[in-house]
């Protein structure tokens, strides 16, 4: 079952706020007139008065400033690992209305190379995804022999090391780690040498949409499979890792201390 935390938080804030307002306008004056002490106010009113300010602060912070997000899969390895907890910047790409996600005021544009959190295009209400932005509107994208081309420009790759990757079932396989210089954004990618190439040529990104890919190039479900990401689906830009938890490590090494505070690129 999928829970829409944003919607639940919105309704909790709205209901507690309405109860608080009714109490201020009607119930509190009535208690004062009848000399009823504040300790005897109804429990639901007491809870609303206590929780509404907290809920409102959390709702506003999460809606307009930063939203926490947990990395659910290895599609962005080696840049982001399963168990990384990140903050998503909600204001760099524009101020949006909560719940309906309509852009009210533009504050900046998505840039090639950004790591972006967005709602899953085939079913926006089902889940949120995170990928790297490869193409903006009007870009022509090709992927040939596991090398990206954007508007005819070959994206440079430099070998870093041979290593291994691990699946959810603990199976492992060999990968090649390379550094990609994506329009000045230097980051590492994984390629699986035993996985066949899935080439495509000259895909043009439509207006108000984006082309996304994972850094784990041969193990990522992205725009190559489910299409472009509409601008209305964009949530925000991945900014920093605030916690990293390795579920497979022993208890003394669960927290990846070296990743905490890392700026995401």
């Amino acid at each position: 079952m999928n829970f829409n935390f944003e919607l639940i938080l919105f309704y909790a804030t709205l209901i507690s706020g309405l109860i608080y307002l009714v109490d201020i306008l009607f119930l509190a004056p009535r208690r004062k007139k009848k000399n009823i002490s504040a300790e005897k106010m109804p429990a639901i009113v007491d809870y609303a008065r206590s929780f509404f300010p907290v809920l409102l602060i959390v709702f506003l912070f999460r809606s307009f400033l930063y939203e926490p997000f947990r990395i659910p899969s290895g599609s962005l390895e080696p840049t982001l690992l399963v168990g990384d907890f990140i903050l998503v910047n909600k204001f760099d790409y524009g101020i949006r209305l909560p719940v309906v996600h309509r852009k009210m005021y533009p504050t900046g544009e998505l840039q090639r190379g950004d790591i972006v959190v967005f709602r899953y295009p085939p079913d926006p209400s089902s889940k949120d995804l995170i990928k790297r932005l490869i193409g903006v509107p009007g870009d022509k994208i090709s992927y040939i022999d596991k090398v990206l081309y954007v508007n005819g420009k070959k994206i440079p790759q430099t070998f870093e090391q041979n290593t291994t990757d691990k699946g959810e079932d603990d199976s492992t396989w060999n990968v090649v780690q390379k550094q990609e210089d994506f329009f000045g954004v230097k980051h590492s990618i994984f390629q699986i040498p035993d996985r066949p190439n899935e080439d495509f040529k000259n895909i043009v990104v439509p207006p108000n949409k984006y082309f996304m890919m994972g850094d784990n190039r041969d193990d990522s479900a992205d725009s190559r499979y489910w299409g472009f990401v509409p601008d209305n689906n964009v949530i925000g830009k991945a900014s920093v890792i605030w916690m990293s938890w390795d579920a497979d490590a022993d208890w003394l090494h669960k927290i990846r201390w070296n990743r905490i505070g890392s700026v995401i690129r």
Side-chain angles (χ1 to χ4, degrees):
M1 182 181 296
N2 296 308
F3 292 94
N4 189 328
F5 180 76
E6 180 185 38
L7 196 59
I8 293 172
L9 182 60
F10 170 74
Y11 281 125
T13 305
L14 178 64
I15 292 170
S16 61
L18 289 175
I19 295 173
Y20 198 170
L21 181 63
V22 169
D23 183 62
I24 292 174
L25 295 178
F26 303 106
L27 303 182
R30 193 175 301 171
R31 287 196 302 271
K32 185 176 181 180
K33 186 176 181 179
K34 295 182 178 180
N35 293 319
I36 300 175
S37 65
E39 288 79 7
K40 294 183 179 180
M41 72 173 66
I44 190 172
V45 174
D46 190 21
Y47 284 130
R49 292 175 66 101
S50 300
F51 287 111
F52 172 69
V54 177
L55 291 171
L56 181 62
I57 291 172
V58 172
F59 179 73
L60 293 176
F61 183 87
R62 189 181 184 277
S63 298
F64 299 110
L65 297 177
Y66 289 96
E67 178 179 336
F69 183 82
R70 181 183 66 84
I71 303 301
S73 72
S75 69
L76 271 169
E77 290 179 340
T79 306
L80 293 174
L81 307 180
V82 176
D84 282 347
F85 292 81
I86 69 172
L87 288 178
V88 180
N89 183 321
K90 300 292 286 288
F91 55 85
D92 263 10
Y93 298 148
I95 307 300
R96 298 173 186 265
L97 282 173
V99 183
V100 296
H101 310 124
R102 296 282 185 181
K103 186 181 291 186
M104 297 186 298
Y105 181 77
T107 58
E109 299 295 330
L110 282 73
Q111 302 295 321
R112 299 185 194 94
D114 288 353
I115 294 182
V116 181
V117 176
F118 53 91
R119 282 171 287 279
Y120 179 50
D123 186 3
S125 64
S126 65
K127 58 184 175 181
D128 298 336
L129 298 182
I130 181 169
K131 306 290 178 186
R132 190 176 296 276
L133 173 57
I134 301 301
V136 298
D139 280 348
K140 186 180 291 185
I141 312 295
S142 297
Y143 191 61
I144 304 169
D145 294 332
K146 302 189 180 183
V147 176
L148 274 169
Y149 296 79
V150 180
N151 298 325
K153 174 181 171 59
K154 181 179 179 179
I155 305 302
Q157 295 179 355
T158 305
F159 174 83
E160 290 186 325
Q161 63 174 336
N162 291 309
T163 183
T164 58
D165 196 9
K166 185 178 182 180
E168 295 181 0
D169 59 355
D170 291 332
S171 61
T172 60
W173 53 88
N174 295 325
V175 296
V176 178
Q177 181 175 320
K178 296 181 179 180
Q179 184 188 76
E180 189 175 71
D181 187 348
F182 194 77
F183 296 95
V185 180
K186 296 182 179 180
H187 62 98
S188 295
I189 62 173
F190 276 171
Q191 295 174 344
I192 304 175
D194 296 334
R195 195 72 57 85
N197 300 338
E198 296 185 1
D199 296 349
F200 59 84
K201 294 182 180 181
N202 298 328
I203 291 180
V204 179
V205 183
N208 298 315
K209 294 187 178 182
Y210 306 96
F211 190 90
M212 306 284 186
M213 290 179 68
D215 289 347
N216 198 345
R217 291 290 162 76
D218 294 315
D219 194 23
S220 171
D222 47 40
S223 288
R224 291 173 288 181
Y225 305 99
W226 38 249
F228 302 103
V229 176
D231 184 70
N232 283 342
N233 287 41
V234 172
I235 294 174
K237 179 181 179 181
S239 58
V240 67
I241 299 171
W242 62 271
M243 174 58 73
S244 185
W245 183 264
D246 186 352
D248 295 327
D250 60 70
W251 282 102
L252 291 177
H253 302 93
K254 287 287 187 185
I255 299 178
R256 304 184 186 108
W257 294 101
N258 63 315
R259 297 185 62 77
I260 297 177
S262 300
V263 176
I264 298 170
R265 293 200 58 176

